[in-house]
Amino acid sequence: MRFPIDNFSDAPFPQGCITQYFGENPQLYSLTKGHSGWDIIPNDGRQAYGMNVYSMYDCDVVYTQNDPSGYGNHVYTLRADGLLNIYGHLSKIIAKTGDTLKQGDLIGELGNSGFVVSGQTPFWSHNPY
């Protein structure tokens, strides 16, 4: 597996780069009873916005979309074993519907599109802002 961004680390911000884990904050995500993914930022202190996002696996791009009240600019990919991945909140989508990607291919650029919790909020246990 290739990590989706450079300098990935599975540790809370600021030591690592996951700012929100799957299932956290059910009070904020009432429809899904918790956050439905991992929010990831760089581990080395660089500005996250605009960084490259890479495919973690060989996959096909099922579709791309912009949903201002959800994942924002996002890309759905499907692996051969049936696993669906969503790369969300992108500032820019580079992959196109129908593309076949190899592990490490560029999907888009990090951003904060769609429904994004930012600023001083009580929702994150490790708020990077």
Side-chain angles (χ1 to χ4, degrees):
M1 178 185 81
R2 188 208 198 290
F3 292 120
I5 63 173
D6 293 330
N7 298 311
F8 177 86
S9 173
D10 183 8
F13 185 86
Q15 298 85 14
C17 60
I18 297 175
T19 60
Q20 191 170 203
Y21 285 91
F22 182 87
E24 282 189 333
N25 307 317
Q27 72 279 21
L28 183 61
Y29 302 98
S30 58
L31 294 178
T32 56
K33 298 182 180 163
H35 188 248
S36 60
W38 285 12
D39 287 340
I40 302 171
I41 62 170
N43 188 38
D44 60 3
R46 290 181 289 165
Q47 179 66 34
Y49 193 91
M51 282 185 66
N52 289 338
V53 175
Y54 305 103
S55 175
M56 295 178 357
Y57 309 98
D58 293 349
C59 59
D60 294 318
V61 177
V62 178
Y63 70 87
T64 66
Q65 184 179 24
N66 182 18
D67 176 9
S69 63
Y71 293 119
N73 291 320
H74 61 280
V75 176
Y76 275 75
T77 65
L78 184 64
R79 291 185 349 190
D81 64 3
L83 181 67
L84 182 70
N85 287 299
I86 306 168
Y87 299 83
H89 307 298
L90 302 172
S91 62
K92 181 179 181 181
I93 297 172
I94 294 172
K96 298 193 178 2
T97 300
D99 284 354
T100 297
L101 303 176
K102 295 290 183 193
Q103 182 181 37
D105 284 351
L106 187 61
I107 286 183
E109 296 177 2
L110 281 176
N112 61 355
S113 61
F115 178 69
V116 178
V117 178
S118 62
Q120 297 301 316
T121 69
F123 297 109
W124 284 341
S125 58
H126 309 286
N127 190 333
Y129 301 99

